[in-house]
Every structure is written in C-alpha cells, then in structure tokens.
Amino acid sequence: MAITHVRPDDRLHLQSIASLFVAASKIVTVTGAGISTKAGIPDFRSRNGLYSLGHRRLFHSSVLSGPEGRPLFYSGITKMRKVVKLASPTRTHRFIASLRDAGKLVRDYTQNIDCLEEKAGLSTDLRKGPGSRSRLCRSRPRQVDCEPRLRDRGVECVLLHGSLRRLRCSNCFSTCCWDEDGREAKTLAGQEPPCPGCAELSEARTAAGKRATAIGTLRPDIVLYDEHDPRADSISAIARHDLLQRPDVLLIMGTSLATHGVKHLVRDFAKIVHRRAGKVVFVNLAEPARNWDGVIDYWVEWDCDTWVHDLTNRQPALCSGSMPRVRADSTGDGEHVNAMASPGYDRGQGSSRDNPIDLALS
Ligand SMILES: [Zn+2]
C-alpha cells in the first residue's frame, strides 16, 4: 500500500494520527539525528550535516586502522562530546518520556549517541534487560493501574550505536568513566588512555610474581560503520522481547532509515504492528524511499519538534503529565507471534548502505 503523505496543513490526517496515539497502548519509537538538531547537534546528511562538513571518515571503522587516523578520531570525537554534554533534550525527547510515563512506551530505539534520552529521564542501561510490563501487576488483575515504580521497566531506551558517555576497553571490553583521571584531556589531544581495569589486573599479577598481562587502550563506546557491536546479542534479545509484546503503533522520527540494522528493526516491528491493524508513522523532513511502501503508513513531512507540538495541541491528553496511564498488564491477549529469529540490529552486518550512522553529533 502506498504511503500517505501528510503535510503540515493536512488537518484531517494530522487529527487521525493524533487520535491514533490517544488510543494506542503499546508504542515503539525509533529515532535518529533529526530529533536532536533543535538541541544544536547537527545531523549527518542534511546540507549543514557532518558529512557535508567533511567529517564522514570519523565514523568509519577504517579511521582506526592506520596510525594517522587514530589521533584525528580521538580528538574529533572528543570535540563532539564537549558540544553534546552542553545540549538539552528537545520537545521530541520529552514527548517520548511522557509516553513512558503514560505506560504507552514499549521501548525507544535510537541511533543517536548524544544520550539526550537520558537527560529526558529515560534509562539506557542495557544490563537492565527488557523488563516486564506485567510482572508485578498480574497478582492484582483487578487493579486498574500500577505505580510506575512498581514495574520492572527494564531499559527504556536502547542506544543502537552506543553513546559518548563512556569509554570502552579494546581488550577486556569493560567500560569506564571518560571524565575521570584526565581521560578527556588525553583523548582531546588524540591520545588513547590505558584501561584501568586491565592495568589493575596486570599489577596484581606481577605483585603475585606472575607474568604481566596486556593492558588495553580505551576508545569511545560507540559503534562505527562496518564494526561489530559487542552488545548486539543483548539488543537483539530485547527487540525479540518487544516484538512479542505486539505493539500497536510504530513511530519513526528524524531518520532517513539508511542503516542496515535499523531497516531490519523497522520492518520487523512494522509487520507485527500491521498484524494488529496498527499503524506506522514516519515523521521526517525527507521523503522515505519507495521501498518503504507497505511498511510505512503515514509520512508526516515536518520537523519532529513542530509535529510533536501540533500533536499535543490537537490532543492535550498527550502532553507530559496529563496522559492517563495504560494498564500495566495490558500486554494483549497472550497470542504469540513468530518473532524473527536472531535479528541482527547492529551495524556490523554486511550491507550496501553507503554510510555508517544517523547519529546526532556535533
Ligand atoms: Zn581493559
């Protein structure tokens, strides 16, 4: 089915979409750089995006393959991090958090590495796992509502391509704080700090008269184009869990859907949403490619923040703090769906995509 093109003056369809969000109980969101541009963080592909400014190579794994590229990578990414640290969440980030507060959000998946979702109050720690919408409420089936604090929400926002918050060891893969022990000054100067975990282990061994072990170097905890994400299995497990929740709306915002992993993620969720007679809404200034026909139902050609503003004007109940909470145990009728086996949502899988990421960086 062809995609319905919704322009800012298309009141009828904008109202239909707003009603869709009021009625929905399980919403999955997928976001990209377009939701962070209002925070002062440029995207990648627009006229003033990072690629047009000559930063394309910074995000390809080849930048780490030669000695001349590594200092540029470390200093360039650190400069971007300094800008990101000063940025605040946009109206769109806050809208996603309000969907969470209303119990409507199954999960937010973002390609951005700016971590503005965390500043909006969404948890991003993958170790929390998928959580459970009904775990603590099943024993009280007549209870209309459950306090959010009683639910095991798990990780609320999945950072598909990592984040600029921490550094990761290339040897032991543990992460550590970027802001301690002068690490940020080192990476800004193009240097690669040593891993404190590896160093501690090696020192303990030598103190015990044993052979010293290798000490890894730290790198930004982001996933570059053509790289395997060490967290890929965890992300795939959460996505499989969410497919089984049978979401009724998929909302995609501020992304051109160019990366391989995200294409798969969106197609998998769209199949489940359509099986429930739900809708897939795509909010982006650029038109989706023709091969998204039958996947996307509505293309809202609008800036994300402005659309969110319009949406909450049409349905004030969708404003933060005023949405009635959805029952925590409203996870559908228990019907199982055939979730796609081992979907690969990381960017390390071979593909013909021509660029790495839709990350919001500056
Ligand atoms: Zn290490």
Side-chain angles (χ1 to χ4, degrees):
M1 201 156 124
I3 299 168
T4 301
H5 182 182
V6 183
R7 295 183 175 83
D9 60 354
D10 187 345
R11 292 180 186 172
L12 187 65
H13 280 116
L14 288 171
Q15 191 58 46
S16 299
I17 292 169
S19 301
L20 198 66
F21 280 87
V22 172
S25 62
K26 284 178 276 185
I27 300 171
V28 169
T29 54
V30 175
T31 65
I35 72 163
S36 290
T37 49
K38 286 279 178 71
I41 302 171
D43 61 11
F44 276 73
R45 298 179 187 81
S46 67
R47 200 162 44 130
N48 296 316
L50 290 166
Y51 287 168
S52 63
L53 298 174
H55 296 305
R56 191 184 190 93
R57 197 188 160 209
L58 269 189
F59 301 96
H60 194 284
S61 61
S62 62
V63 74
L64 294 173
S65 62
E68 73 287 346
R70 299 182 76 94
L72 291 176
F73 170 74
Y74 276 82
S75 61
I77 295 292
T78 309
K79 285 174 191 165
M80 294 174 186
R81 182 175 190 257
K82 282 177 169 288
V83 173
V84 162
K85 279 164 79 174
L86 298 174
S88 298
T90 64
R91 188 189 295 270
T92 304
H93 292 101
R94 294 195 300 273
F95 172 63
I96 295 169
S98 69
L99 291 175
R100 183 276 315 273
D101 294 342
K104 288 175 181 274
L105 184 70
V106 173
R107 201 89 56 198
D108 177 37
Y109 291 84
T110 186
Q111 300 165 86
N112 299 343
I113 58 174
D114 52 36
C115 257
L116 291 182
E117 291 79 8
E118 255 185 25
K119 289 183 180 174
L122 294 164
S123 66
T124 61
D125 187 350
L126 263 188
R127 292 172 299 182
K128 290 187 169 188
S132 169
R133 287 166 63 88
S134 56
R135 189 170 65 95
L136 292 176
C137 298
R138 242 174 227 151
S139 60
R140 291 171 288 175
R142 291 184 183 176
Q143 188 170 342
V144 173
D145 203 354
C146 291
E147 289 299 319
R149 63 185 170 82
L150 293 179
R151 298 179 196 155
D152 174 13
R153 284 173 167 162
V155 57
E156 293 160 344
C157 170
V158 174
L159 304 169
L160 292 168
H161 298 159
S163 84
L164 291 170
R165 194 183 53 216
R166 293 172 72 81
L167 292 165
R168 184 176 78 231
C169 176
S170 54
N171 183 45
C172 69
F173 302 109
S174 63
T175 64
C176 76
C177 181
W178 200 331
D179 293 306
E180 291 176 355
D181 297 332
R183 293 187 189 111
E184 191 179 61
K186 284 180 181 162
T187 57
L188 185 62
Q191 298 166 12
E192 304 175 32
C195 169
C198 286
E200 194 177 320
L201 179 66
S202 185
E203 282 167 21
R205 283 178 59 88
T206 52
K210 297 179 181 175
R211 180 175 52 84
T213 49
I215 298 174
T217 55
L218 300 170
R219 55 161 286 176
D221 189 23
I222 59 175
V223 185
L224 302 177
Y225 171 71
D226 216 20
E227 262 192 335
H228 176 71
D229 184 352
R231 306 161 311 136
D233 288 345
S234 303
I235 292 174
S236 292
I238 289 171
R240 285 197 298 276
H241 171 276
D242 291 349
L243 288 164
L244 292 170
Q245 299 304 305
R246 304 173 71 240
D248 46 16
V249 166
L250 172 61
L251 172 62
I252 309 158
M253 294 184 284
T255 170
S256 55
L257 297 175
T259 63
H260 181 72
V262 169
K263 284 178 184 172
H264 273 275
L265 187 76
V266 164
R267 287 185 186 278
D268 289 351
F269 274 117
K271 276 181 200 166
I272 300 299
V273 165
H274 287 151
R275 210 174 289 174
R276 275 201 76 179
K279 297 293 181 188
V280 177
V281 180
F282 177 72
V283 185
N284 199 44
L285 288 170
E287 184 177 8
R290 293 303 298 268
N291 59 7
W292 289 107
D293 283 5
V295 179
I296 292 169
D297 297 296
Y298 296 104
W299 165 39
V300 180
E301 185 186 2
W302 217 348
D303 161 74
C304 296
D305 276 7
T306 315
W307 171 72
V308 167
H309 183 63
D310 178 84
L311 178 78
T312 50
N313 275 343
R314 290 177 189 282
Q315 290 288 356
L318 291 172
C319 287
S320 182
S322 56
M323 266 192 264
R325 280 207 300 274
V326 174
R327 282 178 60 117
D329 56 351
S330 62
T331 52
D333 56 13
E335 177 197 337
H336 277 237
V337 294
N338 293 319
M340 280 37 80
S342 302
Y345 298 128
D346 63 316
R347 62 160 116 247
Q349 308 215 342
S351 78
S352 58
R353 66 190 187 280
D354 62 353
N355 46 52
I357 30 190
D358 263 327
L359 313 183
L361 270 178
S362 170

